[in-house]
Amino acid sequence: QVQLVESGGGLVQAGGSLRLSCAASGRTFSSYAMGWFRQAPGKEREFVAAVSWSGSSTAYADSVKGRVTISRDSAKNTVYLQMNSLKPEDTAVYYCAAAYRVVADLTGYDYWGQGTQVTVSS
């Protein structure tokens, strides 16, 4: 079992930046690939980014590529999502999740956090 707790969300103006954090506890964090997803009101949950267990491999959705960076600190059992040049369409609840490998499909993830709200004003 892995417990995930997101933090760092908030209200930011368009063009601003936020860094989301996801603290993990429970089974060996370093064994899991980690992903970030988001869900806007009335929309399906969508993939944002993922990082391999070693941190050497990453994947990004086209909609955020070049603006978002995913990273992990295994010593702190934490994964981060640095978001720059934020747009109003980035407004959503952001979730972190754990999987056995880097995948963009949410069905590949076994553990989920409760989410953190990100709101980008125009």
Side-chain angles (χ1 to χ4, degrees):
Q1 190 76 11
V2 175
Q3 292 80 42
L4 304 172
V5 179
E6 302 95 335
S7 62
L11 174 64
V12 64
Q13 288 188 332
S17 298
L18 279 176
R19 188 178 79 157
L20 306 184
S21 299
C22 174
S25 60
R27 299 183 70 179
T28 308
F29 170 72
S30 59
S31 299
Y32 291 91
M34 298 296 297
W36 285 95
F37 290 76
R38 66 186 182 186
Q39 188 166 18
K43 295 188 177 182
E44 295 185 350
R45 193 170 298 189
E46 64 176 7
F47 172 75
V48 176
V51 60
S52 63
W53 67 270
S54 66
S56 62
S57 178
T58 57
Y60 296 94
D62 288 342
S63 59
V64 302
K65 202 170 291 184
R67 302 188 295 121
V68 164
T69 302
I70 189 171
S71 62
R72 66 190 298 161
D73 185 338
S74 293
K76 296 182 178 180
N77 283 0
T78 301
V79 62
Y80 304 98
L81 188 71
Q82 177 67 45
M83 302 189 294
N84 302 321
S85 302
L86 284 163
K87 305 175 182 179
E89 51 264 43
D90 293 318
T91 295
V93 177
Y94 283 71
Y95 300 88
C96 71
Y100 288 106
R101 59 188 181 96
V102 174
V103 291
D105 187 347
L106 61 86
T107 63
Y109 289 79
D110 298 300
Y111 304 101
W112 292 83
Q114 294 300 305
T116 185
Q117 176 71 47
V118 171
T119 303
V120 184
S121 63
S122 57

